[in-house]
Amino acid sequence: MMLYAPPTLMREFNVPSSTVQWLTTGFMLTNGIMIPVTAFLTETFTTRQLFLYGDGHVLRRLTRLRPGPPVSRYCSQAASSRPAAPACS
């Protein structure tokens, strides 16, 4: 499969062969690491646990992208500006 990819990648991205070689090397190394990690995770946790963890992680990251300051920053500023401010939970 990777035999036919380098000429196409070189042509599409207009990069030299050395760059494509590094790209494919990184791809193979990443696969070499992630395949055993995935096998370990699927044997250790249920599919439901992995899905809920991944879904929660994505949602947590998306909430960080929302406009406005994070709640923790708002609470610390509110507490420092007003000594009698209620504690944020």
Side-chain angles (χ1 to χ4, degrees):
M1 180 170 152
M2 292 302 291
L3 179 67
Y4 302 108
T8 305
L9 291 172
M10 289 168 51
R11 189 172 47 254
E12 289 293 323
F13 294 111
N14 194 24
V15 293
S17 62
S18 60
T19 303
V20 173
Q21 288 172 348
W22 277 110
L23 176 71
T24 55
T25 301
F27 174 76
M28 294 296 188
L29 285 172
T30 303
N31 275 333
I33 293 169
M34 289 308 298
I35 289 171
V37 168
T38 303
F40 170 76
L41 290 174
T42 56
E43 287 187 10
T44 306
F45 302 103
T46 64
T47 305
R48 180 184 172 95
Q49 288 173 321
L50 290 172
F51 176 79
L52 290 175
Y53 176 77
D55 197 34
H57 186 68
V58 167
L59 290 174
R60 190 169 43 249
R61 289 301 214 170
L62 286 175
T63 57
R64 288 184 174 184
L65 297 176
R66 71 181 189 282
V71 174
S72 62
R73 186 183 311 159
Y74 172 74
C75 291
S76 66
Q77 287 174 354
S80 65
S81 65
R82 289 183 282 157
C88 297
S89 53

